[in-house]
Each structure stands twice: as C-alpha cells, then as structure tokens.
Amino acid sequence: MTVQAARILIVEDEEPLTLLLRYNLEAEGYEVDSVARGDEAETRLKEQAPDLVVLDWMLPGLSGIELCRRLRARPETKSLPIIMLTARGEESERVRGLATGADDYVIKPFSVPELLARVRALLRRSKPERVADVLSLGEIQLDRVRKRVTRGGRDIDLGPTEYRLLEFLMERPGRVFTREQLLDGVWGSEVYIDERTVDVHVGRLRKALNRGNDVDPIRTVRGAGYSIDERFGKMA
Ligand code: CA
C-alpha cells in the first residue's frame, strides 16, 4: 500500500528544536515545512493548509495561542489538527491551550518518540489514509492499531521495547542506525541507558522473530549498528 505523505507545518522560533523536529518527522516519512514567526505562519496557513500543525506557544509576531484561536475561527482551518508546544509547569497555559482549541499539547522539554506518537495518533484520527496502520516487510507484519506482530501468520510475542524497536526499524528499512540513534529514537534522548542495552533488546527481538531456519531480517553492521534488511522477503 502506498501512503501519501502527510504534510506537517512546524511553527517554532527555537531553531535547534525546529531542526530536531524536522529531521525526525522527515525520517518518519512526513513532508515538513517550518516557519519561525506566528504572523508568518498565519499568512502561510491562509495560502495552504497542511495536514497537521506543531505550534509553539511563545512566538514572535503572534503568539501560538492567538494563532490557534484565529485558525479555529476560520471555516477553512476550523478542524485543522494542532499540537501545541508549551513550557513545563505552565498548568494554566496548558488549560488555556486546550481552551483555545488545540487538539493536543506537549510539554517542553519532551522526548521525540513521545511527540512522534502524538503526531501519529492525531493524524490517524483526522487523516487515517495518511498513516499506514500496518507495516509489512516480507512475511513480517506489524499492526500499529492492534500492537500485534506476525511472521508468516504466526503471532510474535514482543515486550513493549522490542515492539517499538521493530516498529522503528521497519519504518526505515535499509537504514543503518547506531546504538545511540536507536536509544534516542526508541527509548528517548533524556533517558540514560547503557548502549549495550540496545544489544540485549536486539537479541530478544531476534529470538522472538526467528525460529528454526528462518532468515534473520535484522542486520548487524560491524562498527556501526543495526538495520532491518530492506531486501528481506524479496530474496529467493
Ligand atoms: Ca518559542
């Protein structure tokens, strides 16, 4: 199944955060655009509405909250999915964000996997056709709705970490990830975990996936890390 990429607009004035979000959202297959000012975002959104907006609360030009309120007031953008970014501890702002009509809010600093999960969940509600619910690679299928993995019809029992690890690799077949990148993408960057933990979980994932003479879909790249073989299932 071919899925047309959902378009996401990031409205954020902290450039490092914009770059981090852009990198990770593009890696998930989304088409990403960004603006740093609230007033510019308003102009941009009048020209063309994306499928989802990640909107910072504090912005130059026009605040995220005011922009959100204006977007909700216009019929064209009334139901545009919006995730608001707010600073930690601003409980009243959070409530205000929701009252303004944001669909969801994420408190800074946040983990990238957490934000990606919220984006996916929101898109699934608003644009189900833009998010693949089932990832397939050869005889392996990962159902994101049922959180179920099968290989050749056989159920694969996975712990939550092995599941997320497999999902992460299957979203980007062929790409090699270092242990550090896997820690960031699967566990979240604010968590301190030894890199050898990645090896332990890859080992568990392999044990669950492969039985008997099954071909191992996971490649260990010496001195680099791991990847899932994009040719898996296509090999004779
Ligand atoms: Ca800001």
Side-chain angles (χ1 to χ4, degrees), residues 12-14 56 58:
E12 168 62 75
D13 58 321
E14 286 169 55
D56 187 31
M58 292 284 276

Side-chain angles (χ1 to χ4, degrees), residues 120-184:
R120 206 180 294 132
L122 190 50
L123 282 173
R124 190 174 287 134
R125 288 208 301 270
S126 61
K127 300 259 169 190
E129 74 283 3
R130 295 289 178 93
V131 180
D133 283 338
V134 178
L135 299 176
S136 297
L137 190 73
E139 55 185 2
I140 298 175
Q141 292 210 317
L142 183 146
D143 185 329
R144 289 163 146 173
V145 177
R146 293 178 185 81
K147 302 266 178 222
R148 195 169 157 238
V149 176
T150 57
R151 176 168 187 168
R154 167 172 72 94
D155 271 318
I156 305 286
D157 223 353
L158 295 178
T161 306
E162 285 74 35
Y163 174 87
R164 178 63 197 136
L165 183 60
L166 181 64
E167 185 184 28
F168 187 84
L169 292 171
M170 282 181 74
E171 280 165 350
R172 308 153 182 89
R175 215 172 115 185
V176 179
F177 292 96
T178 63
R179 288 167 179 81
E180 196 187 347
Q181 286 170 328
L182 288 172
L183 280 179
D184 278 359

